[in-house]
Amino acid sequence: MVDRSWLVREGMDRVRTRAVDAVVLHSKCGPPGRTALALAFSAHLRTRQHRMGLGADVVTAAVRPELAGAPGLFRVPHFVTISDGTGTVADTTIWQVMSGPRYDAWLGGAPRPDHTAIEAALPGLLRLRHLWRTGRLDRSRADTLGAVLDGGELTAQKIFRYPRVILPVATRALRGSL
């Protein structure tokens, strides 16, 4: 047995070396297929971060990583739209771990949001993403959301930069009042 945050600290230490550009955390209870999804998504994140000038090294996980005992690190839930062999499409969460300086740069000058509130809102955020993606959201009732998304997708970066706009809409989406 190791302390719960050891895996995260070890992953961050590994990705800081020049020889490693992606680490995917796989806990004992983690489903291998979801870990494979986290690996595939890490390639997307590496490309995006490199374009943003944030470097190309990433740490991802299929399940929510434990950060207690890992000060200065932040976990970000990214939404990924997946399809299985039957054609069923769904949205799911893949986690990324970032250092404080990278996290602040990723926020682009926005203040650090309330992580607890964002993580508590994940079911509503996933529902909101589904409604937005499928065109089933009454956009006239979510005009501020439309302005923030500017025709794009509901992404983690937009959620973390504009939580005061997005979280109330996610709450309404979960209640079915949109």
Side-chain angles (χ1 to χ4, degrees), residues 93-158:
T93 306
I94 295 296
W95 296 85
Q96 180 181 12
V97 179
M98 292 185 214
S99 66
R102 175 164 296 169
Y103 176 71
D104 290 333
W106 178 76
L107 286 172
R112 290 180 177 177
D114 179 351
H115 282 258
T116 304
I118 291 173
E119 289 187 21
L122 283 177
L125 290 165
L126 282 166
R127 175 78 178 139
L128 179 60
R129 178 179 166 93
H130 170 77
L131 292 171
W132 183 264
R133 180 177 46 75
T134 59
R136 294 192 294 172
L137 181 67
D138 180 354
R139 294 183 185 213
S140 66
R141 296 188 65 201
D143 57 344
T144 56
L145 177 66
V148 166
L149 299 183
D150 192 28
E153 290 295 321
L154 179 63
T155 65
Q157 193 170 41
K158 289 182 181 173

Side-chain angles (χ1 to χ4, degrees), residues 4-175:
R4 294 173 58 186
S5 63
W6 175 84
L7 185 61
V8 172
R9 290 192 316 266
E10 184 68 17
M12 291 301 286
D13 286 346
R14 299 282 172 125
V15 81
R16 287 182 180 124
T17 68
R18 291 199 178 264
V20 177
D21 57 8
V23 170
V24 178
L25 307 175
H26 178 73
S27 62
K28 183 178 178 180
C29 64
R34 290 210 23 99
T35 299
L37 178 61
L39 175 61
F41 190 65
S42 69
H44 168 74
L45 287 175
R46 287 179 58 239
T47 300
R48 282 203 68 203
Q49 286 184 180
H50 182 69
R51 287 183 187 152
M52 293 175 67
L54 300 177
D57 54 304
V58 297
V59 175
T60 59
V63 296
R64 182 179 170 267
E66 180 58 54
L67 296 185
L73 299 180
F74 295 86
R75 64 179 165 240
V76 174
H78 290 277
F79 298 139
V80 179
T81 302
I82 57 172
S83 176
D84 65 12
T86 67
T88 301
V89 177
D91 295 300
T92 191
T93 306
I94 295 296
W95 296 85
Q96 180 181 12
V97 179
M98 292 185 214
S99 66
R102 175 164 296 169
Y103 176 71
D104 290 333
W106 178 76
L107 286 172
R112 290 180 177 177
D114 179 351
H115 282 258
T116 304
I118 291 173
E119 289 187 21
L122 283 177
L125 290 165
L126 282 166
R127 175 78 178 139
L128 179 60
R129 178 179 166 93
H130 170 77
L131 292 171
W132 183 264
R133 180 177 46 75
T134 59
R136 294 192 294 172
L137 181 67
D138 180 354
R139 294 183 185 213
S140 66
R141 296 188 65 201
D143 57 344
T144 56
L145 177 66
V148 166
L149 299 183
D150 192 28
E153 290 295 321
L154 179 63
T155 65
Q157 193 170 41
K158 289 182 181 173
I159 294 165
F160 276 68
R161 286 183 178 180
Y162 306 104
R164 289 191 172 133
V165 172
I166 296 172
L167 293 184
V169 180
T171 299
R172 292 195 322 263
L174 192 57
R175 290 185 194 143

